[in-house]
Amino acid sequence: MYQLHYFPSNANAAPQMVLEEIGQAYELVLVERGVNAQKSPEYLKINPNGRIPTLVDDGLALFEAAAIVLHLLDRHPEAGLAPKIGTPERAKFYQWLTFLTNSLQEELMIWQYPDRLTGTDAAATAVVKQGAEARAAAYLDVIENHLAANGPFFLGNRLSAADFYLVMLARWARPMTNPPRSRPNIAKLLDRVTALPSVRRAYERQGVTEEIC
Ligand SMILES: N[C@@H](CCC(=O)N[C@@H](CS)C(=O)NCC(=O)O)C(=O)O
């Protein structure tokens, strides 16, 4: 059985939505961030970055949320959460998922934790935080423009794991000055995806019962 090492609302959320949607049994293993368990010697053996999530699939330990999502899609193509390999639609799916994890997610991380770059320099921290928020907002605008022209999902009428990934990031981004939901087409996507029973179950199993994003 799959084991997903998680902490509520962390980057395990997108892989977990996929697990719920494909209907696979899986075990959730809490990584207690309160005691820094993500940096414990046992956890570092499966994730040398000391970050959450990690998926364990028999002998395979896999880190990076997007890689976990892609692995699950490869293992369960019948779930239809990504277009067929080798098609233009699949290429666009890779584009959006990579954009989400590589650009938007990273900028949100810097916005949430600017001091990881600036240390105790308060003035630098404020500048970095503001810059990261502006860059994240610009990325959200790119997504909004794409959805306005090609929505309601990243791949038009077809739901894919990229839509789940945006839900995860949108939850983190709620405190932004212009949060994801302030953009009408992103809001429409978030409404549709968070109404799915699989997505609600994924968050409920993490203990999140309030509005997702
Ligand atoms: N790129 C990684 C990022 C993972 C990540 O930043 N996880 C955060 C929680 S959302 C974490 O583990 N933070 C704890 C720490 O950095 O010590 C992924 O997508 O899996």
Side-chain angles (χ1 to χ4, degrees):
M1 192 194 303
Y2 293 118
Q3 263 189 350
L4 185 63
H5 294 250
Y6 87 107
F7 190 79
S9 294
N10 279 195
N12 44 272
Q16 201 184 341
M17 287 181 248
V18 171
L19 280 164
E20 288 286 346
E21 186 68 25
I22 63 186
Q24 280 295 306
Y26 65 96
E27 183 191 349
L28 277 179
V29 182
L30 180 67
V31 183
E32 192 41 85
R33 284 188 66 172
V35 296
N36 235 13
Q38 73 275 18
K39 308 290 189 224
S40 68
E42 308 87 75
Y43 189 75
L44 290 174
K45 279 187 203 147
I46 58 170
N47 187 330
N49 293 312
R51 296 173 93 179
I52 302 162
T54 306
L55 181 82
V56 177
D57 176 7
D58 283 329
L60 172 73
L62 196 60
F63 58 84
E64 287 299 326
I68 296 171
V69 164
L70 289 168
H71 174 63
L72 291 171
L73 300 182
D74 287 350
R75 291 286 305 268
H76 305 280
E78 70 288 350
L81 287 176
K84 213 164 163 292
I85 290 176
T87 60
E89 293 77 21
R90 182 77 170 205
K92 283 293 178 186
F93 169 73
Y94 288 143
Q95 171 196 286
W96 287 116
L97 187 66
T98 307
F99 176 68
L100 288 170
T101 185
N102 194 49
S103 299
L104 182 55
Q105 182 175 349
E106 279 310 292
E107 218 59 69
L108 290 174
M109 281 292 178
I110 296 170
W111 166 67
Q112 281 182 312
Y113 305 106
D115 51 304
R116 288 183 181 171
L117 299 180
T118 55
T120 54
D121 184 336
T125 300
V127 170
V128 167
K129 187 172 179 66
Q130 199 181 17
E133 180 165 1
R135 282 168 62 92
Y139 293 146
L140 287 167
D141 291 343
V142 167
I143 294 171
E144 173 65 14
N145 290 339
H146 168 69
L147 294 175
N150 307 288
F153 301 118
F154 276 103
L155 304 181
N157 286 319
R158 175 182 189 142
L159 175 75
S160 76
D163 303 303
F164 292 160
Y165 216 95
L166 182 62
V167 166
M168 175 175 86
L169 301 185
R171 179 169 173 81
W172 300 347
R174 286 176 306 171
M176 285 176 70
T177 309
N178 293 310
R181 268 195 178 279
S182 62
R183 296 163 184 83
N185 291 284
I186 291 183
K188 224 184 297 170
L189 181 154
L190 297 177
D191 283 344
R192 290 178 74 151
V193 179
T194 56
L196 294 171
S198 55
V199 171
R200 308 199 76 79
R201 268 198 315 274
Y203 277 97
E204 277 163 19
R205 284 192 63 182
Q206 296 169 47
V208 175
T209 49
E210 80 269 8
E211 201 186 350
I212 295 169
C213 58

